[in-house]
Amino acid sequence: AVRLTHSLGRCTAKPLLATAPHHVVQHLDSALATRQVLDAHPLFRCVAMGTNVANWSAVQALATERAGAVRAGFGIHPWYAHHYAGDKVAGGGASWLAQLRAALMEVPDAVVGEIGLDKVAKKGVFEAQWRLACELQRPVSVHCVQSTGYLFEFMRNSPRPPAIGFHSYGGNVH
């Protein structure tokens, strides 16, 4: 997947842009740089994946602005899962899961991502997003680092979304 990141003001969590089949990572420092890549490659198609609630609106704006070239993805990346306890944002914020459902309902072709597991990431955050993707029949983009045993056991015992894309997967190909 091509992964492009850009900052969003004071937000430290960055959205991701991804497309297959190449495994090239490129970090961009601004929304302008992201738009320049899209302008330079008119046939480029990607998924802009939010990494937490704070950047979902920027992802949606980019997908709306670049309809046909950019598909939105909304999720809680495992690097930020520790900010989310149960269904609340750390510090007493509103329900992130309700916000995720609302974002997905507002954008019918959005994927759930980027979600996943990264060593000690909160499994409950991953599982809630997976269940929502299954319920709404949305594809998922899964980040998985040092958690393949748990991930595959979970997948064996759970319903599956219509499509699963792996990112940062380090497990066996079999």
Side-chain angles (χ1 to χ4, degrees):
V2 174
R3 184 172 72 164
L4 310 172
T5 63
H6 58 83
S7 63
L8 295 170
R10 296 182 353 212
C11 178
T12 59
K14 299 174 182 175
L16 307 173
L17 296 181
T19 186
H22 305 288
H23 293 287
V24 177
V25 176
Q26 184 176 4
H27 296 273
L28 301 177
D29 295 328
S30 70
L32 175 60
T34 300
R35 285 171 176 83
Q36 288 172 338
V37 167
L38 294 171
D39 289 342
H41 304 283
L43 298 179
F44 186 76
R45 300 292 178 262
C46 62
V47 177
M49 290 183 278
T51 56
N52 73 42
V53 175
N55 60 34
W56 294 348
S57 61
V59 166
Q60 184 173 355
L62 181 62
T64 299
E65 175 187 321
R66 300 297 177 118
V70 178
R71 185 175 182 182
F74 306 111
I76 305 297
H77 191 283
W79 292 351
Y80 305 103
H82 64 281
H83 295 294
Y84 302 86
D87 191 31
K88 300 291 180 189
V89 175
S95 165
W96 67 267
L97 193 55
Q99 291 178 61
L100 177 57
R101 177 183 292 279
L104 292 167
M105 297 305 289
E106 188 172 338
V107 183
D109 70 338
V111 304
V112 179
E114 180 169 346
I115 69 172
L117 302 160
D118 198 338
K119 302 172 198 158
V120 295
K122 300 218 176 271
K123 293 175 182 170
V125 172
F126 165 74
E127 292 172 0
Q129 293 176 99
W130 181 278
R131 285 191 299 273
L132 185 58
C134 292
E135 176 189 334
L136 300 178
Q137 286 297 291
R138 303 295 181 92
V140 295
S141 174
V142 179
H143 171 107
C144 185
V145 174
Q146 296 181 5
S147 302
T148 54
Y150 173 80
L151 175 64
F152 286 121
E153 185 62 28
F154 175 80
M155 289 173 62
R156 272 192 279 281
N157 297 306
S158 301
R160 297 234 181 108
I164 304 167
F166 287 98
H167 165 70
S168 291
Y169 173 74
N172 188 312
V173 296
H174 301 290

